[in-house]
Amino acid sequence: MRGAVLYSPGDVRFEERATPTIIAPTDAIIRISATCVCGSDLWPYRGIQSINQPTPMGHEYCGIVEEIGSAVTTIKPGQFVIGSFFASDNSCPHCRSGYQSSCQHRELVGTAQAPILRVPLADGTLVTTPEVPNDDLIPSLLTASDVLGTGWFAAAAANVKPGATVVVVGDGAVGLLGVLSAAQMGAARIIAMSRHASRQKLAREFGATDIVNERGEEGVERIKELTSGIGADSVLECVGTQESMTQAIRSTRPGGSVGYVGVPHGVELDGEKLFFAHVRLHGGPAPVRRFLPTLIDLVWKRKINPGKVFDLTLSLDQVAEGYRAMDERRAIKALLLP
């Protein structure tokens, strides 16, 4: 088969790769119905995160089970499934407490930009839909694999409650779906920080009540103005830079919470300033598996339409253009169809 391989910054190739097969009895092989390019894929694409060798890419996926290992009991061939970027057994102490992305036996699922995918720990990782979905539902179901699950975790980690004032730092797919998540959790006011008209429009469709164009100190001051000098109850940090994290913390009221899901690059925190801020911080790689049943149900019943974040659809063999478009901010998120 052919799949995406990153050779060096800016150099993604769609080339021959070994077709995945069952390795462990807990594996499943799925035929991909849709995959995509993630904002976190841009870190190595831009050379900010180094790679030492040609690296297969992709960690968002949904599709039809083709084969299962001898120990798999809950997943069957022919089912439509969605999984997370970390495979988990869903039974270790960390999984049972809801942190499957810290599973004691976790494995990265990182080769999904291809027609066929091997998923380890299939029983614990994959969640089925009630039946094989219509094609129009597949983009939204795909978001549950990462960006919707990550945006939802950002809102949960930031302790979003009904009636809350929420700020979302970052207008990529995760930030936009963080807006959607906060709205689903009952936030009364959602302030999206964005400078891009198309993203602002989608943020409002997802539930944003206010848009702030400013960043850094100016952004913090604008948040304070909008909240009568108090700050937000909950802030979702969906970028992963020093500026975004500082902005998130300083936009939060004393006693408020920051949910941070942007993969940190060069982020350092001042302990003394954090001490006197009286702000809670919680985040990390999203335990998507915890939320998958809920998110699949919301999509299946058409209560939400997170697939709107895909504003570019390409065939899988055009994956390099998907990376370029997102890198150049010509696209929010590129959907890839085999």
Side-chain angles (χ1 to χ4, degrees):
M1 72 169 190
R2 299 171 70 206
V5 179
L6 179 65
Y7 274 76
S8 61
D11 184 7
V12 173
R13 307 178 194 178
F14 191 69
E15 64 178 25
E16 199 64 31
R17 284 171 27 189
T19 301
T21 59
I22 297 289
I23 296 174
T26 51
D27 290 347
I29 301 296
I30 70 171
R31 180 167 293 276
I32 295 291
S33 297
T35 183
C36 52
V37 181
C38 183
S40 61
D41 292 332
L42 298 180
W43 293 111
Y45 181 78
R46 291 168 172 164
I48 298 170
Q49 177 182 325
S50 63
I51 60 170
N52 300 319
Q53 59 187 12
T55 303
M57 297 294 289
H59 56 264
E60 296 165 278
Y61 58 94
C62 61
I64 303 289
V65 178
E66 288 205 330
E67 186 181 359
I68 58 174
S70 60
V72 177
T73 60
T74 62
I75 302 298
K76 300 176 182 178
Q79 291 180 316
F80 189 93
V81 293
I82 304 159
S84 170
F85 48 86
F86 274 125
S88 58
D89 60 22
N90 207 32
S91 60
C92 83
H94 304 322
C95 290
R96 290 199 302 270
S97 67
Y99 288 84
Q100 291 91 338
S101 50
S102 284
C103 176
Q104 290 178 314
H105 306 106
R106 73 178 185 182
E107 294 185 46
L108 178 66
V109 181
T111 62
Q113 288 166 4
I116 305 290
L117 177 68
R118 181 182 74 90
V119 180
L121 303 171
D123 281 333
T125 303
L126 299 173
V127 179
T128 63
T129 54
E131 57 190 58
V132 176
N134 295 329
D135 288 349
D136 67 314
L137 274 183
I138 288 177
S140 286
L141 290 170
L142 175 62
T143 66
S145 180
D146 182 357
V147 285
L148 175 57
T150 297
W152 196 274
F153 176 55
N159 200 33
V160 174
K161 300 292 185 185
T165 294
V166 177
V167 168
V168 180
V169 180
D171 63 357
V174 170
L176 291 168
L177 293 178
V179 170
L180 181 152
S181 300
Q184 286 292 307
M185 294 178 186
R189 191 176 193 186
I190 303 172
I191 305 168
M193 307 195 82
S194 172
R195 291 178 170 177
H196 301 86
S198 62
R199 300 173 187 231
Q200 293 172 358
K201 180 176 181 294
L202 190 52
R204 287 196 181 276
E205 287 184 38
F206 283 157
T209 56
D210 303 86
I211 303 291
V212 167
N213 289 281
E214 295 85 353
R215 292 182 181 174
E217 287 296 317
E218 291 182 356
V220 172
E221 290 306 311
R222 182 69 181 130
I223 295 299
K224 292 295 179 67
E225 288 176 14
L226 290 171
T227 58
S228 303
I230 296 170
D233 302 306
S234 302
V235 178
L236 284 57
E237 193 285 310
C238 304
V239 183
T241 65
Q242 182 70 56
E243 180 183 68
S244 62
M245 180 64 89
T246 301
Q247 185 171 298
I249 293 169
R250 297 202 60 233
S251 297
T252 309
R253 65 166 176 82
S257 300
V258 174
Y260 62 97
V261 295
V263 181
H265 287 77
V267 175
E268 296 183 357
L269 300 180
D270 184 314
E272 185 175 356
K273 289 181 179 178
L274 187 60
F275 180 79
F276 285 103
H278 263 151
V279 168
R280 299 179 184 88
L281 295 180
H282 183 46
V288 171
R289 178 62 182 82
R290 186 207 308 179
F291 307 115
L292 272 176
T294 296
L295 301 181
I296 290 171
D297 185 63
L298 287 170
V299 169
W300 196 263
K301 292 177 179 175
R302 300 181 185 272
K303 294 182 177 180
I304 58 174
N305 186 9
K308 287 183 177 181
V309 295
F310 293 113
D311 55 348
L312 177 64
T313 300
L314 300 168
S315 62
L316 186 54
D317 60 3
Q318 296 176 292
V319 61
E321 169 57 19
Y323 277 81
R324 284 192 295 269
M326 287 177 61
D327 179 47
E328 296 165 6
R329 296 184 76 83
R330 290 186 284 111
I332 300 171
K333 193 166 180 66
L335 178 67
L336 303 172
L337 301 177

